[in-house]
Amino acid sequence: MNIDDFNRIPAELKKCIPVQTKGRYSDTCSSLELKELNNPDIAFKSIKNRLLDVNNWAHYATLTDADFILLDRHGYRLDRLAEEGDFMKVRFSKVQKIIDAQHDFVYISSIMTIPNILGDAVVMQLQPAHNPARSGSEVDHFFTGDASNTLILYRTESEIILSVHGRNEQPNLKVSKISKKVRNVLFATLGVLAVSKVQWKTLSHGLLNYNEKLL
């Protein structure tokens, strides 16, 4: 995402992105021209539905090999659209699966609909979280709990746009086991950071373009 793409995000939506104060950050963006669609209104509603259909993200984004599983506050799988307060179990790549069996967990801290933006924009924010199936509050993610990913879906008069904004991404060192600390440093500072950005880009593109010719 270049600076021009970021600057054209409506100010009301840009306010939903946390301020970057520490660590790394990332911005990715995918867009779909309305002239390519038979019915832009139906297409936009379908994309909003897919954005909340977490369990099928890997299905919509055919180029990704990530796992995304929606969980309730007790760690049980949910077979419905995501809601604010749900959790997600995430594995970003097969590489992560090969070298480490552990998933990472995130919390859906907010899902907002912004009605003043054309077509009702949706903002979904994710933050590293504890494993809801276990007792305790230790963040079970390679980033600290201050990190976030903000997904913004909106439309203009000519495009449907989905952007993902990572903020305040730092290795999570506040863990009880030395092995987890080493794992988090490796994942956060080496391949996984780059892989996760690619995955978000692939996911945003897939959510926009899945079966677009049928809409």
Side-chain angles (χ1 to χ4, degrees):
M1 186 179 199
N2 59 44
I3 190 65
D4 291 333
D5 287 333
F6 186 80
N7 287 337
R8 68 176 178 158
I9 297 174
E12 188 172 358
L13 296 178
K14 203 178 295 182
K15 291 177 182 178
C16 299
I17 304 171
V19 175
Q20 171 67 21
T21 60
K22 52 192 173 184
R24 301 188 186 188
Y25 71 94
S26 64
D27 297 288
T28 64
C29 177
S30 294
S31 61
L32 180 63
E33 293 188 11
L34 298 186
K35 64 182 181 181
E36 298 178 10
L37 303 169
N38 295 326
N39 191 319
D41 292 334
I42 292 177
F44 188 67
K45 290 178 181 178
S46 296
I47 293 167
K48 285 198 290 187
N49 189 77
R50 294 201 290 270
L51 177 61
L52 299 177
D53 190 10
V54 168
N55 289 325
N56 280 310
W57 276 4
H59 175 66
Y60 300 134
T62 55
L63 298 180
T64 183
D65 58 9
D67 297 326
F68 299 94
I69 302 171
L70 189 68
L71 306 173
D72 68 10
R73 61 189 182 92
H74 301 295
Y76 294 106
R77 177 170 177 146
L78 293 169
D79 291 313
R80 59 162 170 75
L81 298 183
E83 297 177 0
E84 187 173 306
D86 290 340
F87 287 78
M88 291 168 55
K89 184 164 67 171
V90 181
R91 183 184 283 130
F92 280 102
S93 72
K94 289 180 179 177
V95 173
Q96 183 181 352
K97 185 176 182 179
I98 292 171
I99 65 176
D100 183 88
Q102 181 179 331
H103 283 81
D104 292 281
F105 293 84
V106 298
Y107 176 68
I108 302 176
S109 57
S110 66
I111 297 177
M112 298 180 288
T113 299
I114 315 295
N116 294 331
I117 305 299
L118 182 65
D120 292 350
V122 176
V123 179
M124 182 179 187
Q125 193 164 101
L126 313 176
Q127 292 184 280
H130 66 282
N131 181 344
R134 298 176 181 173
S135 59
S137 58
E138 182 178 294
V139 172
D140 209 346
H141 193 283
F142 53 84
F143 286 142
T144 68
D146 295 325
S148 64
N149 280 110
T150 305
L151 291 80
I152 301 178
L153 174 67
Y154 67 102
R155 64 181 288 188
T156 67
E157 294 182 353
S158 60
E159 293 179 299
I160 296 175
I161 299 166
L162 178 57
S163 60
V164 185
H165 309 275
R167 292 293 182 269
N168 303 305
E169 297 174 330
Q170 291 184 303
N172 178 19
L173 304 181
K174 295 181 179 180
V175 291
S176 56
K177 297 180 180 180
I178 296 297
S179 60
K180 289 182 68 174
K181 183 179 295 188
V182 172
R183 177 253 189 201
N184 289 347
V185 169
L186 289 174
F187 276 39
T189 59
L190 298 177
V192 172
L193 181 61
V195 169
S196 65
K197 183 174 181 177
V198 171
Q199 296 289 3
W200 288 124
K201 175 66 176 180
T202 302
L203 176 63
S204 62
H205 177 80
L207 289 172
L208 287 183
N209 290 278
Y210 180 80
N211 277 348
E212 61 177 278
K213 295 181 180 180
L214 300 179
L215 301 173

